[in-house]
Amino acid sequence: MAVTLRQLAVFAAVAEHGGFGAAATALGLGQSSVSHSLAALETAVHGEVVRRATPVRLTPLGELLLPHARATLTAARGFDAAATTYAGTAATATISLSVPPTVARGLLPGLLRLWHERLPQVEITVFEAVDDEIAQWLESGTVDASFLIDPDPFPVGGLHVATDAYEAVVRTDHPLAGEPQVDLADLLDDPLLVTTSGFVAPLEHLHATAGVPYRPARHIRELATVLSMVEAGLGVAILPSLAAAMLPDALTLVPLRPRLERRLVLTGPTTRPWHPSVVTLRDLAADLAGTSGGRRTRR
């Protein structure tokens, strides 16, 4: 099958940007070149991969092939980087990194500053995603690296960057605000607002450990919506302490008893070689994590 990397790059860009013009701009190509490359790809695979509409939509064939296209492009970038590194040349690179929202706001800014200072030639594109999406994106090749929460087993080559704990989110005028620590049972009088973006299982575990019933008043996907509802006085929430960076002035965190921690692990994929720049980013992050008990497994 005569499929080229350029055709795959065009396909991925059209899918990501939702149109031919936007994809052309992102790739630095003319729109006619984008259209021609995509048409050639569709000829090679014997079917349409997108529906020409506004915005462009993937066909079932496109949905099937897009993860493979992204994985191939990721592997090709890694191949080029490995060859350049072997030759002793400092190469520019673009690394895609997926992170949960709390990590993006509470932990990532410091790492981005460190990486930019030490590796100015490496551009890092950050994608926020919920826990399930993060693992899928990493293994499919959509991203080069990810922050995983409590991965089991611990990934080979992964770096334990930090640990934080789940705490109660309440209004600053709540009776429990300002307490040094509260029992989970103390929250039972308030409606519990739970985000479904990766927090249901740990909260179920936390309640089981404490021996108190898990009775969420509402399940909400978006973390920002949960915080808005707590701010409006509609209940309380339980979130990792890194969420402190996301709280408005009207909300505060209160440590919980029992304490439930989570590990934040920076890693590359498990099913293919890491991009060389991801290895370098991990090693730089290890310097920062070393002061907070982080650890790295060998790769």
Side-chain angles (χ1 to χ4, degrees):
M1 184 179 295
V3 174
T4 67
L5 288 175
R6 175 170 171 149
Q7 291 167 0
L8 296 179
V10 165
F11 173 35
V14 169
E16 179 179 349
H17 296 283
F20 288 78
T25 299
L27 295 172
L29 299 173
Q31 188 166 336
S32 61
S33 295
V34 168
S35 297
H36 177 75
S37 292
L38 192 66
L41 173 66
E42 291 177 325
T43 298
V45 301
H46 306 293
E48 290 188 343
V49 294
V50 300
R51 301 194 189 284
R52 274 71 171 172
T54 305
V56 165
R57 301 291 184 189
L58 292 175
T59 64
L61 177 60
E63 294 278 4
L64 174 67
L65 295 181
L66 182 59
H68 297 284
R70 286 172 168 163
T72 301
L73 292 168
T74 298
R77 290 197 306 271
F79 181 92
D80 287 343
T84 302
T85 300
Y86 183 81
T89 305
T92 59
T94 299
I95 297 299
S96 52
L97 173 69
S98 59
V99 296
T102 52
V103 174
R105 313 294 172 80
L107 179 64
L108 190 60
L111 284 171
L112 289 175
R113 284 192 297 271
L114 171 68
W115 289 333
H116 179 69
E117 290 169 2
R118 301 286 295 274
L119 293 171
Q121 76 276 15
V122 176
E123 179 182 346
I124 301 171
T125 303
V126 177
F127 297 92
E128 286 190 28
V130 299
D131 291 2
D132 292 342
E133 292 174 332
I134 289 174
Q136 293 170 3
W137 289 1
L138 181 61
E139 297 309 326
S140 70
T142 302
V143 296
D144 300 292
S146 293
F147 271 96
L148 303 181
I149 307 299
D150 293 325
D152 184 20
F154 195 94
V156 175
L159 173 70
H160 177 194
V161 178
T163 298
D164 68 348
Y166 289 88
E167 300 188 357
V169 182
V170 300
R171 286 169 52 106
T172 53
D173 59 0
H174 191 280
L176 297 177
E179 292 292 325
Q181 191 177 53
V182 297
D183 289 323
L184 182 61
D186 294 334
L187 301 179
L188 293 181
D189 291 335
D190 294 278
L192 179 61
L193 308 175
V194 177
T195 173
T196 56
S197 301
F199 294 111
V200 173
L203 293 192
E204 290 177 340
H205 176 70
L206 179 63
H207 283 74
T209 301
V212 299
Y214 174 64
R215 294 195 298 256
R218 288 187 178 89
H219 281 115
I220 304 140
R221 176 178 169 83
E222 297 298 330
L223 181 54
T225 303
V226 171
L227 296 178
S228 296
M229 294 178 69
V230 176
E231 187 175 10
L234 300 177
V236 299
I238 299 174
L239 295 174
S241 58
L242 280 179
M246 306 174 65
L247 299 187
D249 292 340
L251 301 182
T252 188
L253 288 169
V254 182
L256 280 175
R257 186 172 47 240
R259 180 180 174 88
L260 177 62
E261 296 182 337
R262 62 174 192 165
R263 295 179 303 166
L264 312 176
V265 177
L266 174 62
T267 187
T270 61
T271 57
R272 64 181 187 279
W274 290 20
H275 190 291
S277 292
V278 172
V279 177
T280 305
L281 294 175
R282 179 208 58 194
D283 291 345
L284 288 174
D287 296 337
L288 187 64
T291 61
S292 60
R295 69 180 180 89
R296 178 181 64 194
T297 60
R298 296 188 56 149
R299 183 178 181 84

